[in-house]
Amino acid sequence: MALALVPVLSFGLVIGSFLNVVIARLPQRRSLWAPRSACPQCGNPIAWYDNVPLISFAALRGRCRACAAPIPWRYPLVEAATAALFALAWIVFAGDVGNFLVSAVFLAALVAITVIDLRHQIIPDAITLPGIVVGLGTSVATSRISWTDSLGGILLGGGLFMAIILASRGGMGGGDLKLGAMLGAFLGWQALLLALFVAVMLGGICAVALLVSGRVARKDAIPFGPFLAMGGIVALFWGHAIIAWYLGGFER
Ligand SMILES: [Zn+2]
């Protein structure tokens, strides 16, 4: 299994490199497939050897080969984070290829959503709506989770955010609602509840820390998508163990 981590990490780096394209182009509604990547500063097309995940960034010392404009740290960070999450999925699901592939799709979507929400305060429908379909479809097609748990997760995730949106009159957006439904589709309603709990706890801690340190003012909106994504990751990897432990506590 340790040997299999090399191709899994490589696969994660390649997908992470593609996610960088998604993160740069999707909010601008540009095609993901054409034209080829170019330096936004000088327009020079980026050669394949300058587009190797992590390695090119290090070799170029984080600068464009043609004009020396700095390449944002976002690029290697997204690649490394995607590879690390894919490796973790491979380890946690102990080489179950089907479960790993579905989890990889889910994790890739969460990485892209996190960075796009941090940069633009939007959660693209182009990721969450197909995500809901894929989450439900793969629970019908595989034995990962039952399709009824998945459908229940979509309804619970969507319904809870709908209630929050109606009650708070604009504190949350429709993007959060669709992300909640996507989490439910992939996780099932039980692990979704855990994901939401983790998201609220992390979001609350971060909001307090940012307010106390004066980094944000009380009226500033803090995007909730990244916290939902983190909750989704925790629930994906450890949801069943945590829920079993929690329910076991009641039986004793
Ligand atoms: Zn350049």
Side-chain angles (χ1 to χ4, degrees), residues 10-248:
S10 311
F11 178 52
L13 288 175
V14 170
I15 298 297
S17 183
F18 172 68
L19 293 179
N20 276 318
V21 177
V22 172
I23 288 161
R25 296 188 182 184
L26 197 60
Q28 303 173 353
R29 303 189 175 277
R30 290 166 59 206
S31 164
L32 302 181
W33 316 109
R36 290 193 36 211
S37 293
C39 169
Q41 201 65 38
C42 66
N44 252 42
I46 296 167
W48 67 267
Y49 50 80
D50 284 339
N51 215 358
V52 181
L54 295 187
I55 293 168
S56 294
F57 184 86
L60 293 167
R61 295 170 196 273
R63 290 184 174 278
C64 168
R65 183 183 292 276
C67 73
I71 303 165
W73 272 97
R74 178 176 87 241
Y75 284 85
L77 285 177
V78 164
E79 289 160 358
T82 308
L85 288 170
F86 279 22
L88 191 57
W90 186 260
I91 292 165
V92 169
F93 301 121
D96 174 344
V97 175
N99 205 344
F100 167 74
L101 288 175
V102 176
S103 301
V105 170
F106 181 52
L107 292 165
L110 293 180
V111 169
I113 285 169
T114 297
V115 182
I116 290 172
D117 199 16
L118 286 173
R119 295 185 72 212
H120 303 281
Q121 285 75 50
I122 54 164
I123 299 175
D125 289 352
I127 299 175
T128 49
L129 295 181
I132 294 168
V133 175
V134 171
L136 181 60
T138 51
S139 59
V140 173
T142 72
S143 56
R144 249 186 97 247
I145 57 169
S146 78
W147 71 268
T148 47
D149 284 354
S150 179
L151 185 62
I154 295 171
L155 297 176
L156 183 65
L160 279 174
F161 279 98
M162 181 63 82
I164 294 169
I165 288 168
L166 292 176
S168 69
R169 293 191 198 87
M172 289 270 172
D176 296 301
L177 184 154
K178 283 164 251 177
L179 177 53
M182 186 189 104
L183 292 180
F186 277 99
L187 296 170
W189 66 268
Q190 303 93 330
L192 169 70
L193 287 175
L194 174 70
L196 295 177
F197 176 75
V198 172
V200 169
M201 295 298 287
L202 290 174
I205 292 167
C206 258
V208 168
L210 288 170
L211 281 171
V212 168
S213 68
R215 298 274 302 267
V216 297
R218 190 167 284 273
K219 61 175 170 40
D220 291 339
I222 299 170
F224 194 50
F227 298 108
L228 283 172
M230 277 188 268
I233 290 168
V234 170
L236 172 72
F237 288 137
W238 299 289
H240 288 285
I242 294 171
I243 291 167
W245 167 78
Y246 181 74
L247 294 178

